[in-house]
Every structure is written in C-alpha cells, then in structure tokens.
Amino acid sequence: MQSYEEADVAALFDLDGVLVDSEREYTRFWSHIDQVYPTGVKDFALVIKGTTLHEILGRYFPPEHHQDIVAALDEAERTMRYDIKPGVTELLQSLHNRNVPAVMVTSSNNEKMSHLWQQHPELKEYFTHIVTADMVHRSKPDPEGYLLGARLAGVPAARCAVFEDSAQGVLAGKNAGAFVMAVAGTLDADILRNDADMVVDTLLDFNIDRLINVLEIREI
C-alpha cells in the first residue's frame, strides 16, 4: 500500500459500485435471500446497500437462519467477478501522482476482501489504508467508517472527498462532514443528487485538479 506524509487532502472510496462492478450481483443475491427468508421489507436488496453483514443479519433475520445465509453468501462471493469500473485505475494513479492519499472504506468483511485481492492484487497498492466492516461498529449512514478513514489518512474529514454510490453511503459521507462525490449506476443520479455535493456517471467524468482545489479551501 502507498503511504504519504502530511497530506492536505484525501480521497475515501466505497468499494462495491464505486471501484468494482459488483452491485448487480449482490442485488440478485439478496433478492433471492429475501425470497427464501422473507423480510417483508420493500426493495430489501436496495435498502441494505452500504450495510455490514453483521447488521443485516441482526436486523432482518432470526438467528437460526444466519449460518445458512453466511454460507450462501460466502459461496456466491467465491465465484463472483469483481470487475474494475471505468476510470478507477486512472483516478487512483492520478491521486498517487499528486501525493493525495486514498483510503478504501467498505462494508465488506475480511473474508470478502480476500476474494477481491485474489482477483486484483494490484488494486491494494493504491491505498494507504483499508477500512473494513471488521474495524467499525456502526453501518452507514453512520459516519464512523469515513471518520476512521480520514483519521488514518491524517486529514480532517472536511478536506476529504468521499466517493459513494448508495444513498446510505452518501449520507455517511455527509454526516462525516466530507465532500461527497456520488457515482450513479447503482441508483439514479436524481436520487443521489439530493444529498451529494457532486454526481458523476463514471469516475472519468470530472477534473481531479479542480476537485483537489475545492477540498483545499473547505473550512475545517
């Protein structure tokens, strides 16, 4: 992983739907689980986006179903493809070239991350730190994960850009006091625009130097 000292700004990235194109597969998985173990929650697979597995199980399913759900998810993730989304590598390289630390903040657990690194070991090298579900106690929209990411980067949250694709993730970034870049795809841009500072269709769709300038003048 990269490391930087005394950075002025930082970038904090969600994983699924922002860095890798996996949200459709997770939507199919959780929709199937909701059919097998009905929760009664409308659009369940969308409602839980950005939520840790621990909280999903505790909030929506009785304990006797937890083991079967975890086993099904682990099996699904063993064969799931984590395709890097357009613009990701270019953006991460641009941040590295400008000495801007990047931190991954994901609701995924360590087991899921091991599957990701098997497919994309090079991705890990772009991040100074990686915050997983095993490192936090509260799911998005609670800002705990992004506040931890900012602290690990050594940058005030107000000087961080949070890259998110879910409504709960966008709110987590806002609740942390960060500048929130929403990436459309998982949700329509119009939905994300309500709480995000900026919405893009892909990570190719903005000027990185302009973003850094915006972050540098934000009040702490």
Side-chain angles (χ1 to χ4, degrees):
M1 290 185 290
Q2 303 290 345
S3 63
Y4 304 98
E5 295 182 0
E6 299 181 358
D8 296 321
V9 301
L12 313 179
F13 291 88
D14 178 45
L15 173 61
D16 294 294
V18 174
L19 299 175
V20 297
D21 187 11
S22 55
E23 283 298 343
R24 282 175 291 184
E25 294 191 62
Y26 280 112
T27 296
R28 285 194 291 268
F29 173 82
W30 286 112
S31 295
H32 172 70
I33 292 296
D34 191 35
Q35 291 176 343
V36 178
Y37 308 105
T39 62
V41 177
K42 184 180 179 181
D43 298 325
F44 173 70
L46 292 177
V47 169
I48 62 170
K49 287 189 183 298
T51 306
T52 64
L53 177 60
H54 177 77
E55 186 163 335
I56 293 170
L57 294 175
R59 179 177 296 182
Y60 299 105
F61 299 100
E64 60 267 25
H65 294 157
H66 290 186
Q67 184 174 351
D68 289 341
I69 294 172
V70 171
L73 179 59
D74 187 56
E75 180 59 30
E77 289 180 338
R78 288 182 194 278
T79 58
M80 192 177 291
R81 288 297 310 168
Y82 300 112
D83 294 326
I84 304 297
K85 295 197 71 174
V88 167
T89 302
E90 294 88 342
L91 173 57
L92 292 174
Q93 186 62 53
S94 293
L95 292 170
H96 171 64
N97 293 343
R98 292 162 174 78
N99 293 318
V100 175
V103 179
M104 187 188 298
V105 180
T106 175
S107 299
S108 304
N109 59 27
N110 289 332
E111 288 77 11
K112 156 44 181 315
M113 298 306 293
S114 69
H115 297 314
L116 174 67
W117 304 140
Q118 289 173 10
Q119 293 183 33
H120 299 288
E122 76 288 350
L123 187 62
K124 192 174 186 179
E125 297 306 312
Y126 285 108
F127 295 95
T128 61
H129 297 86
I130 297 169
V131 177
T132 66
D134 305 273
M135 300 169 64
V136 299
H137 298 94
R138 297 179 295 278
S139 289
K140 303 168 185 177
D142 191 281
E144 180 185 9
Y146 283 122
L147 290 173
L148 175 57
R151 189 159 61 249
L152 291 172
V155 175
R159 297 281 172 83
C160 293
V162 162
F163 292 80
E164 266 288 354
D165 70 307
S166 71
Q168 293 196 82
V170 167
L171 286 175
K174 293 297 288 184
N175 290 337
F179 183 91
V180 180
M181 295 281 301
V183 183
T186 302
L187 297 174
D188 290 339
D190 288 342
I191 296 175
L192 296 169
R193 194 169 285 114
N194 292 330
D195 296 297
D197 295 292
M198 185 180 296
V199 181
V200 295
D201 291 324
T202 76
L203 292 181
L204 295 167
D205 294 336
F206 67 94
N207 184 295
I208 183 63
D209 293 312
R210 188 176 303 166
L211 175 62
I212 291 173
N213 289 339
V214 169
L215 296 177
E216 288 177 335
I217 64 174
R218 296 190 86 212
E219 293 186 6
I220 299 176

